[in-house]
Amino acid sequence: MTPLGGRVCAIAATVGMVMSCARPPRALGPARGPEPFWDPARPVAARVADLVARLSPAEKIGQLVTDAPAIPRLGVPAYHWWNEALHGVARAGKATVFPQTIGLAATFDEALVRRVATAISDEARAKYVEAQRRGERGRYQGLTFFSPNVNIFRDPRWGRGQETWGEDPELTGRMGVAFVRGLQGDDARYLKTIATAKHFAVHSGPEAVRHSFDARPSPHDLADTYLPQFEACVREGRVGSVMPAYNRLDGVPCAASAPLLAGTLRRDWDFDGYVVSDCGAIGDIVSGHRAAARVEQAAAMALRAGTDLSCGKEFRALGRARELGLVDDAAIDRAVTRLFTARFRLGMFDPPALVPWSGLPMSVVESPEHIALSREAARASIVLLENRGGLLPLDAGVRRLAVVGPVADDVEVLLGNYHGEPTSPVTLLAGLRAAGHGRGVEVTYARGAPLAGRGGSSAQRTEALRVARRADVIVAALGLSARYEGEEGETAENPSGDRTSLGLPPGQQRLLEELVATGKPVVLVLTGGGALSVPWAAEHVGAILDVWYPGAEGGAALGDVLFGAASPAGRLPVTVPRSTDDLPPFADYSMQGRTYRYAEKPPLWAFGHGLSYTTFTYSNLAVSTPAPNGDVSVNVDVENTGARAGDEVVQVYASKPDAPAYAPRRWLAAFSRVPLAPRERRTLHLTVPARALTLVDEAGHRMPITGDVLLAVGGGQPNVAWSYASAAGQVARVQTLPSLRR
């Protein structure tokens, strides 16, 4: 008799006793039957219709919750819909951990993001295959992922901003589409996994009131800022799932908003996937928003509006709602049809031999190729904010490096939130030690201060200063971790998840000032999930790097950049304001005064800012008149005029000189990351899409621009006067065609 309820167990002695239990292997995939829905030669729609017609009302309702039970009489297996893959397969054990999303956004590299998402979906499929082999069908073992988060990072205090692609709708849309395509694959018949664009549509804090908050943006801001990236994921990415936000939008809970779900999403954008509520959001309709008296009413409201699946158990109340006449069978059939369509498109009812990824082995998880890709992505995400006197890269004369700070030897700061478990994470300290060892550089370390609070012990600071004074160069590793910013209820030391300050914690700031006072050159390395405003450091520190939450290979990537094996080329996907005094109230969803598109006060560092170890010049800018479809072609020569290879992030910004006051002052219209060897010159061809030559009016209608549009092309934003120095970029004027004025 097999012990422990039929499981096979092995005991191994290491430092302690570790018990590993696994169920006996089972055949991959569900049992096949004679019913037509099992026939892979039939169209998916016909197979789904056949299956749904065989289900009782109770069986249908049972499928509308995340932990959907098996239907044994038909051989339909259980399925858990909840899985996470924000920047790697999350919460499911070992996985390659890539840079947190905000770091991936800083790469400004769509192709790289798609490669990262493809690697994530490889690991996801391999884990799914293994779970199926073991007969395991629990949470975080499926193929439907609650990623990506394409909300706009409109306020730097939002703790979940780290999960987003930054503050700009164009950047977010392009990166979101690339991520969705990498997750879902490009097979003509099957979806590799299903991505979920969230949180639809207006959600970016405050976290503490998200279950009861009513967001009320203007019609202009809704259409101009909060919706475009979702539309891109639906129309271009063909995302398979959408998750409504917890909050209300204009008084209506998003999970029960027919205008949002049935109107904008399905009618206007032709969305054909399924809608899944955020976890517990149906219950919020009762307890948070007070829009329903009982869960039966809330469940019926959400289902009728277009939510197909509840993350949680609330849709189990649909049985009682049906008895009360609150919901009809047609609405239930519609939802269960959408959900089974997704499962069929994932190949869950087909022989494994037909599904392209059924043979992916577990060896792809943390494979050498994926680890190398994580390191590449981390390198590409690093933003060089300041570099006075060419302090970086460190030259051969540096023999002793002091690494000081509470985030230097902390695995947690590599990972951010919603992450997997890396086998061999490389901390910032470990990466610098490895890079220094190969160059004969002695690397010493002192923590110096705690992560939070007003300061460490005098002994801590004394040791840090002793180590610093012996060094040729000091690396101050300072910043935040996901213990202090993140999702409401998920951050260990900060239950709200949001930040109240944009600066370094007081103890870290004091440590930095003491390190600078030694007179030794200081390189400040910042970790965090968004804007860290350090105006004192910007004036007093030699070089500043932002590494975000850089993933499991973050330390190795930092070593590459600090010692010059790679030139930094990340760009800020957010504006870094000087202080919270420059921000509107957090709960105000008006975009006026927010992000680079609407801000009125000069920032510490601008959206799109980032330095390099080399230099670039622009010349021969040529801009076409709009084509019949409204697109504009932009050609420009870019030359690496320095002695090092490096990537340039070419950015195209549009502006309407006489735009109304409610419109953005400028907006990102196109971008491209291009590698250039020393002295290499390349002609780049970019397309400014017709959408970038439109403006949204006060009523929320997007209209083609009439008259002149300015296009500025360079390595960042142009200055306030919309002029570039000849080496920094160029500006052109575009006259829209009469046909675009209709």
Side-chain angles (χ1 to χ4, degrees):
M1 180 178 180
T2 305
L4 295 182
R7 297 190 182 190
V8 178
C9 299
I11 298 178
T14 55
V15 177
M17 300 298 290
V18 179
M19 178 172 286
S20 174
C21 300
R23 294 184 178 91
R26 300 180 184 177
L28 182 66
R32 311 295 162 186
E35 297 86 357
F37 71 83
W38 286 113
D39 183 359
R42 293 173 179 266
V44 167
R47 297 171 70 188
V48 172
D50 177 72
L51 173 56
V52 171
R54 297 174 186 276
L55 303 180
S56 69
E59 287 172 328
K60 294 173 184 176
I61 290 169
Q63 296 299 305
L64 305 186
V65 298
T66 41
D67 193 5
I71 306 173
R73 67 183 182 85
L74 295 174
V76 175
Y79 183 67
H80 205 300
W81 291 84
W82 185 354
N83 211 339
E84 303 285 356
L86 187 64
H87 55 118
V89 179
R91 300 178 175 179
K94 184 176 79 167
T96 304
V97 180
F98 295 93
Q100 176 61 292
T101 306
I102 194 68
L104 292 173
T107 69
F108 276 65
D109 191 332
E110 295 174 73
L112 176 61
V113 166
R114 183 159 183 175
R115 287 167 57 207
V116 166
T118 298
I120 293 170
S121 59
D122 280 349
E123 297 195 7
R125 268 287 175 173
K127 284 176 170 286
Y128 174 75
V129 169
E130 177 64 13
Q132 294 292 293
R133 188 186 71 81
R134 294 175 175 271
E136 297 172 353
R137 303 180 185 278
R139 185 184 294 181
Y140 309 135
Q141 293 182 314
L143 292 173
T144 45
F145 290 90
F146 293 176
S147 308
N149 183 339
V150 292
N151 291 126
I152 292 298
F153 198 176
R154 67 178 178 94
D155 191 297
R157 289 166 287 199
W158 186 33
R160 296 190 75 178
Q162 62 177 287
E163 303 175 24
T164 75
W165 304 93
E167 68 182 37
D168 180 74
E170 173 68 13
L171 178 64
T172 299
R174 301 271 47 84
M175 297 300 213
V177 167
F179 193 84
V180 167
R181 287 174 172 169
L183 279 189
Q184 297 191 164
D186 55 8
D187 187 80
R189 179 173 182 179
Y190 294 106
L191 290 168
K192 190 177 183 185
T193 70
I194 287 180
T196 301
K198 66 182 187 183
H199 308 82
F200 189 52
V202 184
H203 173 60
S204 52
E207 280 291 296
V209 294
R210 62 181 181 166
H211 301 287
S212 59
F213 185 72
D214 186 13
R216 291 184 175 269
S218 69
H220 169 271
D221 288 343
L222 180 64
D224 182 61
T225 296
Y226 295 113
L227 292 182
Q229 58 283 355
F230 284 98
E231 183 176 4
C233 286
V234 170
R235 289 188 183 274
E236 299 176 54
R238 306 305 302 174
V239 70
S241 174
V242 169
M243 176 184 285
Y246 278 121
N247 52 269
R248 280 171 285 159
L249 174 60
D250 294 329
V252 182
C254 291
S257 173
L260 196 62
L261 303 179
T264 300
L265 185 62
R266 294 197 184 274
R267 181 196 64 222
D268 298 345
W269 298 347
D270 298 319
F271 175 66
D272 62 359
Y274 65 89
V275 173
V276 54
S277 79
D278 209 336
C279 300
I282 308 302
D284 286 346
I285 296 173
V286 178
S287 60
H289 302 300
R290 310 290 182 183
R294 295 182 298 171
V295 68
E296 294 88 352
Q297 294 171 314
M301 289 169 58
L303 186 74
R304 292 197 307 265
T307 296
D308 305 302
L309 177 70
S310 72
C311 181
K313 308 298 184 185
E314 297 99 328
F315 268 7
R316 289 180 177 173
L318 287 171
R320 178 61 177 156
R322 179 175 177 268
E323 293 172 358
L324 294 171
L326 300 175
V327 67
D328 59 21
D329 287 343
I332 295 170
D333 285 354
R334 180 186 65 195
V336 77
T337 295
R338 290 170 180 164
L339 295 176
F340 272 117
T341 298
R343 291 180 67 178
F344 273 83
R345 292 194 67 201
L346 287 164
M348 293 180 177
F349 292 82
D350 288 358
L354 295 180
V355 184
W357 312 279
S358 293
L360 277 173
M362 281 295 288
S363 58
V364 304
V365 178
E366 285 197 310
S367 65
E369 294 79 10
H370 289 181
I371 295 298
L373 180 59
S374 178
R375 184 170 179 169
E376 178 188 348
R379 275 198 307 266
S381 73
I382 293 175
V383 182
L384 180 61
L385 298 170
E386 300 286 351
N387 194 22
R388 289 188 178 83
L391 176 57
L392 293 179
L394 298 176
D395 63 38
V398 175
R399 311 311 301 166
R400 295 188 301 275
L401 192 69
V403 180
V404 179
V407 304
D409 200 28
D410 188 343
V411 170
E412 209 168 41
V413 303
L414 304 177
L415 307 179
N417 68 356
Y418 285 95
H419 59 82
E421 300 301 327
T423 300
S424 302
V426 183
T427 66
L428 305 182
L429 175 62
L432 293 177
R433 278 180 170 160
H437 179 75
R439 295 166 173 81
V441 177
E442 176 191 359
V443 177
T444 54
Y445 164 69
R447 183 175 175 83
L451 191 61
R454 305 205 65 81
S457 67
S458 59
Q460 258 187 338
R461 294 198 303 276
T462 298
E463 173 63 10
L465 293 175
R466 184 190 68 80
V467 168
R469 290 189 181 103
R470 289 187 62 251
D472 300 319
V473 174
I474 303 165
V475 174
L478 306 175
L480 304 176
S481 82
R483 293 179 64 85
Y484 295 91
E485 61 172 348
E487 188 170 0
E488 174 249 1
E490 296 285 336
T491 48
E493 311 298 337
N494 177 19
S496 77
D498 294 325
R499 297 161 59 191
T500 57
S501 168
L502 300 184
L504 290 170
Q508 294 193 44
Q509 178 64 32
R510 176 182 177 183
L511 174 64
L512 178 62
E513 293 177 14
E514 291 174 338
L515 294 174
V516 170
T518 65
K520 298 296 180 73
V522 175
V523 177
L524 174 59
V525 175
L526 295 172
T527 65
L532 268 171
S533 185
V534 288
W536 186 91
E539 293 183 7
H540 295 89
V541 173
I544 304 177
L545 291 163
D546 196 334
V547 301
W548 314 101
Y549 297 134
E553 291 294 302
L558 177 61
D560 292 339
V561 168
L562 215 66
F563 286 97
S567 178
R571 298 292 189 268
L572 286 175
V574 293
T575 300
V576 181
R578 291 187 171 273
S579 77
T580 54
D581 295 338
D582 293 345
L583 300 174
F586 191 8
D588 181 359
Y589 269 73
S590 168
M591 288 305 298
Q592 292 303 310
R594 296 190 184 280
T595 76
Y596 81 94
R597 299 168 75 232
Y598 293 95
E600 300 169 353
K601 299 180 180 179
L604 181 60
W605 291 298
F607 173 92
H609 170 71
L611 306 177
S612 174
Y613 292 161
T614 187
T615 55
F616 303 93
T617 61
Y618 288 73
S619 60
N620 300 323
L621 175 63
V623 179
S624 72
T625 57
N629 68 355
D631 292 352
V632 167
S633 297
V634 175
N635 296 333
V636 66
D637 291 347
V638 183
E639 183 179 357
N640 179 352
T641 54
R644 291 177 174 270
D647 291 1
E648 172 69 325
V649 176
V650 180
Q651 301 164 53
V652 182
Y653 291 90
S655 175
K656 173 68 172 159
D658 56 349
Y662 59 78
R665 290 165 176 77
R666 65 183 63 175
W667 57 95
L668 184 68
F671 60 91
S672 178
R673 181 166 176 146
V674 55
L676 292 169
R679 306 297 175 183
E680 181 183 3
R681 180 177 179 178
R682 187 180 302 182
T683 299
L684 298 186
H685 310 280
L686 298 94
T687 298
V688 173
R691 185 183 184 89
L693 301 177
T694 64
L695 285 176
V696 175
D697 66 18
E698 287 185 289
H701 303 127
R702 187 172 290 277
M703 306 292 291
I705 293 176
T706 59
D708 288 344
V709 178
L710 290 179
L711 293 180
V713 184
Q717 291 187 55
N719 63 23
V720 175
W722 274 81
S723 64
Y724 273 117
S726 60
Q730 297 188 312
V731 178
R733 187 180 298 270
V734 177
Q735 173 69 48
T736 58
L737 292 176
S739 62
L740 295 180
R741 298 180 184 178
R742 291 199 296 265

